[in-house]
Short mmCIF file of all heavy atoms in Angstrom, two decimals:
data_model
loop_
_atom_site.label_atom_id
_atom_site.label_comp_id
_atom_site.label_asym_id
_atom_site.label_seq_id
_atom_site.Cartn_x
_atom_site.Cartn_y
_atom_site.Cartn_z
N MET A 1 0.82 -1.18 0.00
CA MET A 1 0.00 0.00 0.00
C MET A 1 0.87 1.25 0.00
O MET A 1 0.55 2.21 -0.66
CB MET A 1 -0.90 -0.05 1.24
CG MET A 1 -2.08 0.82 1.12
SD MET A 1 -3.21 0.15 -0.10
CE MET A 1 -4.71 0.81 0.45
N VAL A 2 1.95 1.21 0.75
CA VAL A 2 2.85 2.36 0.81
C VAL A 2 3.49 2.62 -0.54
O VAL A 2 3.63 3.76 -0.97
CB VAL A 2 3.92 2.15 1.90
CG1 VAL A 2 4.96 3.24 1.87
CG2 VAL A 2 3.28 2.05 3.27
N VAL A 3 3.88 1.55 -1.24
CA VAL A 3 4.49 1.71 -2.56
C VAL A 3 3.49 2.32 -3.52
O VAL A 3 3.83 3.22 -4.30
CB VAL A 3 5.01 0.35 -3.09
CG1 VAL A 3 5.52 0.49 -4.51
CG2 VAL A 3 6.08 -0.20 -2.18
N TRP A 4 2.25 1.87 -3.48
CA TRP A 4 1.21 2.43 -4.36
C TRP A 4 1.01 3.92 -4.06
O TRP A 4 0.93 4.73 -4.98
CB TRP A 4 -0.10 1.66 -4.17
CG TRP A 4 -1.23 2.24 -4.95
CD1 TRP A 4 -1.43 2.12 -6.30
CD2 TRP A 4 -2.31 3.02 -4.45
NE1 TRP A 4 -2.56 2.79 -6.64
CE2 TRP A 4 -3.13 3.35 -5.55
CE3 TRP A 4 -2.65 3.49 -3.19
CZ2 TRP A 4 -4.27 4.11 -5.41
CZ3 TRP A 4 -3.79 4.24 -3.06
CH2 TRP A 4 -4.58 4.55 -4.16
N LEU A 5 0.94 4.28 -2.78
CA LEU A 5 0.78 5.68 -2.41
C LEU A 5 1.97 6.52 -2.85
O LEU A 5 1.80 7.64 -3.32
CB LEU A 5 0.59 5.81 -0.90
CG LEU A 5 -0.77 5.41 -0.36
CD1 LEU A 5 -0.75 5.44 1.16
CD2 LEU A 5 -1.86 6.31 -0.90
N ARG A 6 3.16 5.96 -2.76
CA ARG A 6 4.34 6.70 -3.18
C ARG A 6 4.29 6.97 -4.68
O ARG A 6 4.59 8.07 -5.13
CB ARG A 6 5.62 5.94 -2.84
CG ARG A 6 6.86 6.72 -3.21
CD ARG A 6 8.13 5.92 -2.98
NE ARG A 6 9.29 6.62 -3.41
CZ ARG A 6 9.67 6.78 -4.67
NH1 ARG A 6 8.95 6.29 -5.64
NH2 ARG A 6 10.77 7.42 -4.98
N PHE A 7 3.91 5.97 -5.46
CA PHE A 7 3.80 6.17 -6.91
C PHE A 7 2.74 7.22 -7.22
O PHE A 7 2.91 8.04 -8.10
CB PHE A 7 3.44 4.87 -7.63
CG PHE A 7 4.63 4.00 -7.91
CD1 PHE A 7 4.67 2.69 -7.46
CD2 PHE A 7 5.70 4.47 -8.65
CE1 PHE A 7 5.75 1.88 -7.72
CE2 PHE A 7 6.79 3.67 -8.92
CZ PHE A 7 6.82 2.38 -8.45
N ARG A 8 1.63 7.20 -6.52
CA ARG A 8 0.55 8.15 -6.77
C ARG A 8 0.91 9.56 -6.31
O ARG A 8 0.63 10.53 -7.00
CB ARG A 8 -0.74 7.70 -6.07
CG ARG A 8 -1.30 6.44 -6.64
CD ARG A 8 -1.72 6.67 -8.07
NE ARG A 8 -2.16 5.40 -8.63
CZ ARG A 8 -1.96 5.05 -9.89
NH1 ARG A 8 -1.36 5.86 -10.71
NH2 ARG A 8 -2.36 3.89 -10.31
N LEU A 9 1.53 9.68 -5.14
CA LEU A 9 1.84 11.00 -4.60
C LEU A 9 2.99 11.68 -5.34
O LEU A 9 3.00 12.90 -5.50
CB LEU A 9 2.17 10.91 -3.10
CG LEU A 9 0.99 10.52 -2.20
CD1 LEU A 9 1.47 10.36 -0.77
CD2 LEU A 9 -0.13 11.54 -2.29
N THR A 10 3.97 10.90 -5.79
CA THR A 10 5.11 11.50 -6.50
C THR A 10 4.83 11.65 -7.98
O THR A 10 5.59 12.30 -8.68
CB THR A 10 6.39 10.67 -6.31
OG1 THR A 10 6.16 9.35 -6.79
CG2 THR A 10 6.81 10.66 -4.86
N GLY A 11 3.75 11.05 -8.46
CA GLY A 11 3.40 11.20 -9.87
C GLY A 11 4.26 10.41 -10.82
O GLY A 11 4.44 10.81 -11.96
N VAL A 12 4.84 9.32 -10.37
CA VAL A 12 5.66 8.49 -11.25
C VAL A 12 4.75 7.78 -12.22
O VAL A 12 3.96 6.92 -11.86
CB VAL A 12 6.49 7.47 -10.45
CG1 VAL A 12 7.24 6.54 -11.38
CG2 VAL A 12 7.44 8.18 -9.51
N ASP A 13 4.83 8.19 -13.47
CA ASP A 13 4.01 7.59 -14.52
C ASP A 13 4.76 7.73 -15.83
O ASP A 13 5.05 8.85 -16.27
CB ASP A 13 2.64 8.27 -14.60
CG ASP A 13 1.69 7.55 -15.53
OD1 ASP A 13 2.02 6.44 -15.99
OD2 ASP A 13 0.62 8.11 -15.80
N ALA A 14 5.08 6.63 -16.47
CA ALA A 14 5.88 6.65 -17.69
C ALA A 14 5.18 7.36 -18.83
O ALA A 14 5.82 7.97 -19.68
CB ALA A 14 6.23 5.22 -18.10
N SER A 15 3.88 7.33 -18.88
CA SER A 15 3.16 7.94 -19.99
C SER A 15 3.18 9.47 -19.91
O SER A 15 3.12 10.13 -20.94
CB SER A 15 1.71 7.44 -20.02
OG SER A 15 1.04 7.83 -18.84
N ARG A 16 3.28 10.04 -18.72
CA ARG A 16 3.25 11.49 -18.57
C ARG A 16 4.64 12.11 -18.50
O ARG A 16 4.85 13.19 -19.00
CB ARG A 16 2.48 11.88 -17.31
CG ARG A 16 1.00 11.67 -17.46
CD ARG A 16 0.28 12.21 -16.28
NE ARG A 16 0.57 11.33 -15.15
CZ ARG A 16 0.32 11.64 -13.89
NH1 ARG A 16 -0.20 12.78 -13.59
NH2 ARG A 16 0.59 10.79 -12.93
N ARG A 17 5.58 11.46 -17.88
CA ARG A 17 6.88 12.08 -17.63
C ARG A 17 7.97 11.61 -18.57
O ARG A 17 9.02 12.21 -18.63
CB ARG A 17 7.30 11.80 -16.19
CG ARG A 17 6.33 12.43 -15.20
CD ARG A 17 6.73 12.19 -13.81
NE ARG A 17 7.91 13.00 -13.52
CZ ARG A 17 8.63 12.87 -12.45
NH1 ARG A 17 8.32 11.96 -11.56
NH2 ARG A 17 9.67 13.63 -12.23
N GLY A 18 7.75 10.51 -19.27
CA GLY A 18 8.78 10.02 -20.17
C GLY A 18 9.85 9.19 -19.48
O GLY A 18 10.69 8.61 -20.13
N VAL A 19 9.86 9.17 -18.17
CA VAL A 19 10.81 8.36 -17.42
C VAL A 19 10.05 7.60 -16.36
O VAL A 19 8.92 7.94 -16.02
CB VAL A 19 11.89 9.23 -16.72
CG1 VAL A 19 12.90 9.73 -17.70
CG2 VAL A 19 11.26 10.36 -15.95
N GLY A 20 10.66 6.60 -15.81
CA GLY A 20 10.00 5.81 -14.78
C GLY A 20 9.64 4.44 -15.30
O GLY A 20 10.15 3.98 -16.32
N LEU A 21 8.74 3.79 -14.61
CA LEU A 21 8.35 2.43 -14.96
C LEU A 21 7.15 2.44 -15.89
O LEU A 21 6.30 3.32 -15.81
CB LEU A 21 7.99 1.66 -13.69
CG LEU A 21 9.08 1.53 -12.63
CD1 LEU A 21 8.51 0.87 -11.40
CD2 LEU A 21 10.24 0.74 -13.17
N LEU A 22 7.08 1.45 -16.74
CA LEU A 22 5.89 1.27 -17.56
C LEU A 22 4.73 0.90 -16.66
O LEU A 22 4.92 0.39 -15.57
CB LEU A 22 6.14 0.18 -18.60
CG LEU A 22 7.26 0.44 -19.58
CD1 LEU A 22 7.50 -0.79 -20.44
CD2 LEU A 22 6.96 1.64 -20.45
N SER A 23 3.53 1.14 -17.10
CA SER A 23 2.37 0.93 -16.23
C SER A 23 2.23 -0.53 -15.79
O SER A 23 1.88 -0.80 -14.64
CB SER A 23 1.10 1.41 -16.91
OG SER A 23 0.88 0.69 -18.10
N ASP A 24 2.50 -1.49 -16.68
CA ASP A 24 2.42 -2.90 -16.28
C ASP A 24 3.50 -3.26 -15.27
O ASP A 24 3.25 -3.97 -14.30
CB ASP A 24 2.54 -3.81 -17.50
CG ASP A 24 1.33 -3.76 -18.39
OD1 ASP A 24 0.25 -3.33 -17.91
OD2 ASP A 24 1.44 -4.14 -19.57
N LEU A 25 4.70 -2.75 -15.50
CA LEU A 25 5.80 -3.01 -14.58
C LEU A 25 5.55 -2.31 -13.24
O LEU A 25 5.83 -2.86 -12.18
CB LEU A 25 7.12 -2.55 -15.18
CG LEU A 25 8.38 -2.81 -14.36
CD1 LEU A 25 8.53 -4.31 -14.07
CD2 LEU A 25 9.59 -2.30 -15.08
N GLN A 26 4.98 -1.13 -13.30
CA GLN A 26 4.64 -0.40 -12.08
C GLN A 26 3.62 -1.18 -11.26
O GLN A 26 3.75 -1.30 -10.05
CB GLN A 26 4.08 0.97 -12.45
CG GLN A 26 3.73 1.84 -11.26
CD GLN A 26 3.22 3.20 -11.69
OE1 GLN A 26 3.31 3.56 -12.85
NE2 GLN A 26 2.67 3.94 -10.77
N ALA A 27 2.60 -1.74 -11.92
CA ALA A 27 1.60 -2.55 -11.22
C ALA A 27 2.25 -3.80 -10.62
O ALA A 27 1.92 -4.20 -9.50
CB ALA A 27 0.48 -2.95 -12.18
N ALA A 28 3.18 -4.41 -11.33
CA ALA A 28 3.86 -5.61 -10.81
C ALA A 28 4.69 -5.28 -9.58
O ALA A 28 4.71 -6.06 -8.61
CB ALA A 28 4.75 -6.21 -11.90
N VAL A 29 5.36 -4.14 -9.57
CA VAL A 29 6.16 -3.74 -8.41
C VAL A 29 5.26 -3.49 -7.21
O VAL A 29 5.56 -3.91 -6.09
CB VAL A 29 7.00 -2.48 -8.75
CG1 VAL A 29 7.60 -1.87 -7.50
CG2 VAL A 29 8.08 -2.83 -9.75
N ILE A 30 4.15 -2.83 -7.43
CA ILE A 30 3.22 -2.54 -6.34
C ILE A 30 2.65 -3.83 -5.76
O ILE A 30 2.58 -4.01 -4.55
CB ILE A 30 2.10 -1.59 -6.81
CG1 ILE A 30 2.69 -0.22 -7.12
CG2 ILE A 30 1.00 -1.47 -5.77
CD1 ILE A 30 1.74 0.71 -7.83
N LEU A 31 2.23 -4.75 -6.62
CA LEU A 31 1.67 -6.01 -6.15
C LEU A 31 2.72 -6.88 -5.46
O LEU A 31 2.42 -7.56 -4.47
CB LEU A 31 1.02 -6.77 -7.30
CG LEU A 31 -0.26 -6.14 -7.83
CD1 LEU A 31 -0.74 -6.89 -9.06
CD2 LEU A 31 -1.34 -6.12 -6.77
N SER A 32 3.95 -6.85 -5.94
CA SER A 32 5.02 -7.60 -5.28
C SER A 32 5.30 -7.07 -3.88
O SER A 32 5.57 -7.84 -2.95
CB SER A 32 6.30 -7.54 -6.10
OG SER A 32 6.14 -8.20 -7.32
N ALA A 33 5.21 -5.77 -3.72
CA ALA A 33 5.43 -5.18 -2.41
C ALA A 33 4.29 -5.51 -1.44
O ALA A 33 4.48 -5.48 -0.23
CB ALA A 33 5.58 -3.67 -2.53
N ALA A 34 3.13 -5.84 -1.96
CA ALA A 34 1.97 -6.14 -1.11
C ALA A 34 1.92 -7.61 -0.68
O ALA A 34 1.06 -7.98 0.12
CB ALA A 34 0.68 -5.79 -1.84
N MET A 35 2.82 -8.43 -1.17
CA MET A 35 2.81 -9.85 -0.83
C MET A 35 3.25 -10.06 0.63
O MET A 35 4.01 -9.27 1.17
CB MET A 35 3.76 -10.62 -1.74
CG MET A 35 3.34 -10.64 -3.18
SD MET A 35 1.82 -11.56 -3.36
CE MET A 35 1.50 -11.31 -5.07
N PRO A 36 2.77 -11.14 1.26
CA PRO A 36 3.19 -11.41 2.64
C PRO A 36 4.65 -11.84 2.70
O PRO A 36 5.28 -12.12 1.68
CB PRO A 36 2.25 -12.54 3.08
CG PRO A 36 1.78 -13.16 1.83
CD PRO A 36 1.79 -12.11 0.77
N ILE A 37 5.18 -11.91 3.92
CA ILE A 37 6.59 -12.27 4.11
C ILE A 37 6.83 -13.73 3.74
O ILE A 37 5.92 -14.54 3.69
CB ILE A 37 7.03 -11.99 5.56
CG1 ILE A 37 6.22 -12.82 6.55
CG2 ILE A 37 6.96 -10.53 5.89
CD1 ILE A 37 6.69 -12.69 8.00
N PHE A 38 8.07 -14.06 3.50
CA PHE A 38 8.45 -15.42 3.15
C PHE A 38 8.40 -16.32 4.37
O PHE A 38 8.67 -15.89 5.49
CB PHE A 38 9.86 -15.46 2.55
CG PHE A 38 10.00 -14.73 1.26
CD1 PHE A 38 10.79 -13.60 1.18
CD2 PHE A 38 9.34 -15.16 0.13
CE1 PHE A 38 10.92 -12.91 -0.01
CE2 PHE A 38 9.47 -14.48 -1.05
CZ PHE A 38 10.27 -13.36 -1.14
N THR A 39 8.12 -17.60 4.17
CA THR A 39 8.07 -18.54 5.29
C THR A 39 9.45 -18.86 5.84
O THR A 39 9.56 -19.41 6.94
CB THR A 39 7.38 -19.85 4.85
OG1 THR A 39 8.09 -20.40 3.74
CG2 THR A 39 5.94 -19.60 4.49
N ILE A 40 10.50 -18.51 5.12
CA ILE A 40 11.85 -18.81 5.59
C ILE A 40 12.18 -18.05 6.86
O ILE A 40 13.04 -18.46 7.64
CB ILE A 40 12.88 -18.53 4.48
CG1 ILE A 40 14.24 -19.14 4.80
CG2 ILE A 40 13.03 -17.04 4.24
CD1 ILE A 40 14.28 -20.63 4.70
N TYR A 41 11.48 -16.93 7.12
CA TYR A 41 11.73 -16.16 8.34
C TYR A 41 11.43 -16.99 9.59
O TYR A 41 12.09 -16.84 10.60
CB TYR A 41 10.92 -14.87 8.35
CG TYR A 41 11.36 -13.89 7.30
CD1 TYR A 41 10.46 -13.35 6.40
CD2 TYR A 41 12.69 -13.51 7.20
CE1 TYR A 41 10.88 -12.45 5.43
CE2 TYR A 41 13.12 -12.62 6.24
CZ TYR A 41 12.20 -12.09 5.36
OH TYR A 41 12.62 -11.22 4.40
N THR A 42 10.44 -17.85 9.50
CA THR A 42 10.12 -18.73 10.63
C THR A 42 11.28 -19.70 10.89
O THR A 42 11.62 -19.97 12.04
CB THR A 42 8.83 -19.50 10.36
OG1 THR A 42 7.81 -18.58 10.02
CG2 THR A 42 8.39 -20.30 11.56
N VAL A 43 11.88 -20.19 9.84
CA VAL A 43 13.02 -21.10 9.97
C VAL A 43 14.21 -20.36 10.59
O VAL A 43 14.90 -20.89 11.47
CB VAL A 43 13.39 -21.71 8.60
CG1 VAL A 43 14.64 -22.57 8.71
CG2 VAL A 43 12.22 -22.52 8.05
N PHE A 44 14.45 -19.12 10.13
CA PHE A 44 15.54 -18.33 10.71
C PHE A 44 15.29 -18.05 12.19
O PHE A 44 16.21 -18.02 12.99
CB PHE A 44 15.72 -17.01 9.96
CG PHE A 44 16.27 -17.16 8.57
CD1 PHE A 44 15.94 -16.25 7.59
CD2 PHE A 44 17.10 -18.20 8.23
CE1 PHE A 44 16.45 -16.36 6.31
CE2 PHE A 44 17.61 -18.35 6.96
CZ PHE A 44 17.29 -17.41 6.00
N ALA A 45 14.04 -17.80 12.55
CA ALA A 45 13.70 -17.48 13.93
C ALA A 45 13.89 -18.66 14.87
O ALA A 45 14.07 -18.48 16.07
CB ALA A 45 12.26 -16.98 14.00
N MET A 46 13.86 -19.88 14.33
CA MET A 46 14.05 -21.07 15.16
C MET A 46 15.43 -21.07 15.82
O MET A 46 15.58 -21.56 16.93
CB MET A 46 13.87 -22.34 14.32
CG MET A 46 12.42 -22.58 13.94
SD MET A 46 12.20 -23.99 12.84
CE MET A 46 12.74 -25.32 13.89
N ASP A 47 16.43 -20.49 15.14
CA ASP A 47 17.77 -20.42 15.71
C ASP A 47 17.82 -19.58 16.98
O ASP A 47 18.68 -19.76 17.83
CB ASP A 47 18.76 -19.84 14.69
CG ASP A 47 18.99 -20.77 13.52
OD1 ASP A 47 18.74 -21.99 13.67
OD2 ASP A 47 19.41 -20.29 12.45
N TYR A 48 16.88 -18.65 17.10
CA TYR A 48 16.86 -17.73 18.23
C TYR A 48 15.72 -18.03 19.20
O TYR A 48 15.47 -17.26 20.12
CB TYR A 48 16.75 -16.30 17.74
CG TYR A 48 17.91 -15.91 16.85
CD1 TYR A 48 17.78 -15.93 15.47
CD2 TYR A 48 19.13 -15.57 17.41
CE1 TYR A 48 18.85 -15.60 14.66
CE2 TYR A 48 20.21 -15.24 16.60
CZ TYR A 48 20.06 -15.25 15.23
OH TYR A 48 21.12 -14.93 14.42
N GLY A 49 15.00 -19.14 18.98
CA GLY A 49 13.92 -19.52 19.86
C GLY A 49 12.67 -18.65 19.72
O GLY A 49 11.88 -18.56 20.65
N ARG A 50 12.50 -18.03 18.60
CA ARG A 50 11.37 -17.12 18.37
C ARG A 50 10.45 -17.62 17.26
O ARG A 50 9.80 -16.83 16.58
CB ARG A 50 11.88 -15.73 17.99
CG ARG A 50 12.69 -15.06 19.04
CD ARG A 50 11.81 -14.69 20.17
NE ARG A 50 12.53 -13.84 21.11
CZ ARG A 50 11.98 -13.33 22.16
NH1 ARG A 50 10.73 -13.57 22.42
NH2 ARG A 50 12.68 -12.59 22.97
N GLU A 51 10.35 -18.93 17.09
CA GLU A 51 9.52 -19.45 16.00
C GLU A 51 8.04 -19.14 16.19
O GLU A 51 7.31 -18.96 15.22
CB GLU A 51 9.74 -20.94 15.79
CG GLU A 51 9.39 -21.81 16.99
CD GLU A 51 10.54 -22.02 17.94
OE1 GLU A 51 11.62 -21.45 17.77
OE2 GLU A 51 10.31 -22.78 18.90
N GLY A 52 7.59 -19.05 17.44
CA GLY A 52 6.19 -18.72 17.71
C GLY A 52 5.84 -17.31 17.26
O GLY A 52 4.80 -17.07 16.64
N VAL A 53 6.71 -16.38 17.56
CA VAL A 53 6.50 -14.98 17.17
C VAL A 53 6.54 -14.86 15.65
O VAL A 53 5.72 -14.16 15.04
CB VAL A 53 7.56 -14.07 17.83
CG1 VAL A 53 7.43 -12.65 17.32
CG2 VAL A 53 7.44 -14.12 19.32
N ALA A 54 7.50 -15.53 15.03
CA ALA A 54 7.62 -15.47 13.57
C ALA A 54 6.42 -16.11 12.89
O ALA A 54 5.94 -15.62 11.87
CB ALA A 54 8.91 -16.15 13.12
N SER A 55 5.92 -17.20 13.45
CA SER A 55 4.74 -17.85 12.88
C SER A 55 3.51 -16.96 12.98
O SER A 55 2.71 -16.87 12.05
CB SER A 55 4.46 -19.17 13.59
OG SER A 55 5.51 -20.07 13.38
N LEU A 56 3.38 -16.27 14.10
CA LEU A 56 2.27 -15.34 14.27
C LEU A 56 2.37 -14.17 13.29
O LEU A 56 1.38 -13.75 12.71
CB LEU A 56 2.23 -14.83 15.71
CG LEU A 56 1.04 -13.96 16.09
CD1 LEU A 56 -0.27 -14.72 15.88
CD2 LEU A 56 1.17 -13.51 17.53
N ALA A 57 3.58 -13.66 13.10
CA ALA A 57 3.78 -12.58 12.13
C ALA A 57 3.46 -13.04 10.72
O ALA A 57 2.84 -12.31 9.93
CB ALA A 57 5.22 -12.07 12.20
N LEU A 58 3.84 -14.27 10.39
CA LEU A 58 3.54 -14.82 9.07
C LEU A 58 2.03 -14.97 8.87
O LEU A 58 1.50 -14.63 7.81
CB LEU A 58 4.22 -16.18 8.91
CG LEU A 58 3.97 -16.92 7.60
CD1 LEU A 58 4.52 -16.15 6.43
CD2 LEU A 58 4.58 -18.30 7.66
N LEU A 59 1.34 -15.43 9.89
CA LEU A 59 -0.11 -15.57 9.81
C LEU A 59 -0.79 -14.22 9.62
O LEU A 59 -1.67 -14.06 8.78
CB LEU A 59 -0.65 -16.26 11.07
CG LEU A 59 -2.16 -16.43 11.14
CD1 LEU A 59 -2.64 -17.39 10.07
CD2 LEU A 59 -2.57 -16.91 12.51
N ARG A 60 -0.37 -13.23 10.38
CA ARG A 60 -0.97 -11.89 10.28
C ARG A 60 -0.73 -11.27 8.91
O ARG A 60 -1.63 -10.66 8.34
CB ARG A 60 -0.41 -10.99 11.37
CG ARG A 60 -0.95 -11.31 12.73
CD ARG A 60 -0.40 -10.37 13.75
NE ARG A 60 -0.94 -10.67 15.07
CZ ARG A 60 -0.56 -10.09 16.18
NH1 ARG A 60 0.37 -9.15 16.15
NH2 ARG A 60 -1.11 -10.43 17.32
N THR A 61 0.48 -11.39 8.39
CA THR A 61 0.76 -10.79 7.08
C THR A 61 0.01 -11.52 5.96
O THR A 61 -0.40 -10.89 4.99
CB THR A 61 2.26 -10.78 6.77
OG1 THR A 61 2.78 -12.11 6.79
CG2 THR A 61 3.02 -9.90 7.73
N THR A 62 -0.18 -12.82 6.10
CA THR A 62 -0.93 -13.56 5.09
C THR A 62 -2.40 -13.15 5.10
O THR A 62 -3.01 -12.94 4.05
CB THR A 62 -0.80 -15.07 5.32
OG1 THR A 62 0.59 -15.42 5.31
CG2 THR A 62 -1.53 -15.86 4.26
N VAL A 63 -2.98 -13.01 6.28
CA VAL A 63 -4.38 -12.57 6.38
C VAL A 63 -4.52 -11.14 5.87
O VAL A 63 -5.46 -10.83 5.12
CB VAL A 63 -4.88 -12.69 7.84
CG1 VAL A 63 -6.22 -12.01 8.02
CG2 VAL A 63 -4.95 -14.16 8.24
N ALA A 64 -3.59 -10.27 6.22
CA ALA A 64 -3.64 -8.89 5.75
C ALA A 64 -3.45 -8.80 4.24
O ALA A 64 -4.00 -7.91 3.58
CB ALA A 64 -2.59 -8.05 6.46
N ALA A 65 -2.68 -9.74 3.67
CA ALA A 65 -2.45 -9.73 2.22
C ALA A 65 -3.74 -9.99 1.45
O ALA A 65 -3.91 -9.47 0.34
CB ALA A 65 -1.40 -10.77 1.85
N PHE A 66 -4.65 -10.78 2.00
CA PHE A 66 -5.92 -11.00 1.32
C PHE A 66 -6.66 -9.68 1.12
O PHE A 66 -7.22 -9.43 0.07
CB PHE A 66 -6.80 -11.98 2.10
CG PHE A 66 -6.37 -13.41 1.97
CD1 PHE A 66 -5.91 -14.11 3.07
CD2 PHE A 66 -6.43 -14.06 0.75
CE1 PHE A 66 -5.51 -15.43 2.97
CE2 PHE A 66 -6.03 -15.38 0.64
CZ PHE A 66 -5.57 -16.06 1.74
N VAL A 67 -6.62 -8.84 2.14
CA VAL A 67 -7.31 -7.55 2.05
C VAL A 67 -6.56 -6.59 1.13
O VAL A 67 -7.14 -6.00 0.22
CB VAL A 67 -7.47 -6.94 3.46
CG1 VAL A 67 -8.08 -5.55 3.39
CG2 VAL A 67 -8.31 -7.85 4.34
N THR A 68 -5.27 -6.43 1.36
CA THR A 68 -4.52 -5.44 0.58
C THR A 68 -4.42 -5.82 -0.88
O THR A 68 -4.52 -4.95 -1.76
CB THR A 68 -3.11 -5.24 1.17
OG1 THR A 68 -2.42 -6.49 1.20
CG2 THR A 68 -3.16 -4.64 2.54
N LEU A 69 -4.21 -7.10 -1.17
CA LEU A 69 -4.13 -7.49 -2.57
C LEU A 69 -5.47 -7.32 -3.28
O LEU A 69 -5.51 -6.92 -4.45
CB LEU A 69 -3.64 -8.94 -2.70
CG LEU A 69 -2.17 -9.16 -2.39
CD1 LEU A 69 -1.84 -10.64 -2.40
CD2 LEU A 69 -1.31 -8.41 -3.37
N THR A 70 -6.56 -7.60 -2.60
CA THR A 70 -7.88 -7.41 -3.20
C THR A 70 -8.11 -5.94 -3.53
O THR A 70 -8.59 -5.59 -4.61
CB THR A 70 -8.97 -7.94 -2.27
OG1 THR A 70 -8.71 -9.32 -1.98
CG2 THR A 70 -10.34 -7.79 -2.89
N VAL A 71 -7.77 -5.08 -2.58
CA VAL A 71 -7.95 -3.64 -2.80
C VAL A 71 -7.04 -3.16 -3.93
O VAL A 71 -7.48 -2.42 -4.83
CB VAL A 71 -7.67 -2.86 -1.49
CG1 VAL A 71 -7.60 -1.37 -1.75
CG2 VAL A 71 -8.73 -3.17 -0.46
N LEU A 72 -5.78 -3.55 -3.90
CA LEU A 72 -4.84 -3.11 -4.94
C LEU A 72 -5.23 -3.62 -6.32
O LEU A 72 -5.12 -2.90 -7.31
CB LEU A 72 -3.42 -3.53 -4.59
CG LEU A 72 -2.76 -2.73 -3.49
CD1 LEU A 72 -1.41 -3.34 -3.12
CD2 LEU A 72 -2.60 -1.29 -3.90
N LEU A 73 -5.67 -4.87 -6.41
CA LEU A 73 -6.12 -5.38 -7.71
C LEU A 73 -7.34 -4.62 -8.21
O LEU A 73 -7.47 -4.36 -9.40
CB LEU A 73 -6.42 -6.89 -7.60
CG LEU A 73 -5.20 -7.78 -7.56
CD1 LEU A 73 -5.62 -9.22 -7.26
CD2 LEU A 73 -4.43 -7.72 -8.87
N GLY A 74 -8.23 -4.25 -7.30
CA GLY A 74 -9.39 -3.46 -7.69
C GLY A 74 -9.01 -2.08 -8.19
O GLY A 74 -9.63 -1.54 -9.10
N VAL A 75 -7.99 -1.49 -7.61
CA VAL A 75 -7.55 -0.14 -8.00
C VAL A 75 -6.71 -0.18 -9.27
O VAL A 75 -6.88 0.66 -10.15
CB VAL A 75 -6.76 0.51 -6.85
CG1 VAL A 75 -6.09 1.80 -7.29
CG2 VAL A 75 -7.66 0.76 -5.66
N LEU A 76 -5.82 -1.15 -9.38
CA LEU A 76 -4.88 -1.20 -10.50
C LEU A 76 -5.48 -1.76 -11.78
O LEU A 76 -5.01 -1.42 -12.87
CB LEU A 76 -3.64 -2.02 -10.11
CG LEU A 76 -2.77 -1.41 -9.02
CD1 LEU A 76 -1.67 -2.40 -8.63
CD2 LEU A 76 -2.16 -0.11 -9.49
N ILE A 77 -6.46 -2.60 -11.66
CA ILE A 77 -7.00 -3.24 -12.88
C ILE A 77 -8.36 -2.69 -13.22
O ILE A 77 -9.14 -2.28 -12.50
CB ILE A 77 -7.06 -4.76 -12.69
CG1 ILE A 77 -5.64 -5.28 -12.55
CG2 ILE A 77 -7.75 -5.42 -13.87
CD1 ILE A 77 -5.54 -6.75 -12.31
#
């Protein structure tokens, strides 16, 4: 969501300014930034005894991604 707002607030648009990302590539960057965290973070957290916290963070970001991706797809497409 922050990446989308940054693109909108700064006016980065290849069709108007002649520089920047193409609209399809811009949409791909925004959607990639909205994806939840990787599951490997839970594995890394096991070394420090924090797998429970990492699992909870993974669950929260995955649930939040359903909302943010739905909104972003509705706005971008």
Side-chain angles (χ1 to χ4, degrees):
M1 200 70 154
V2 173
V3 175
W4 176 76
L5 285 174
R6 183 185 176 284
F7 277 124
R8 293 295 175 215
L9 293 176
T10 58
V12 175
D13 188 9
S15 62
R16 288 186 289 166
R17 297 181 72 191
V19 285
L21 301 174
L22 299 173
S23 61
D24 289 341
L25 183 57
Q26 182 179 349
V29 168
I30 292 169
L31 290 174
S32 294
M35 294 294 175
I37 61 175
F38 296 114
T39 57
I40 194 72
Y41 293 127
T42 307
V43 175
F44 291 151
M46 289 175 64
D47 292 339
Y48 300 99
R50 297 290 189 177
E51 61 271 4
V53 174
S55 296
L56 186 60
L58 178 64
L59 178 66
R60 286 181 179 174
T61 59
T62 303
V63 169
F66 284 115
V67 175
T68 58
L69 287 174
T70 303
V71 170
L72 285 174
L73 284 172
V75 170
L76 293 174
I77 295 178

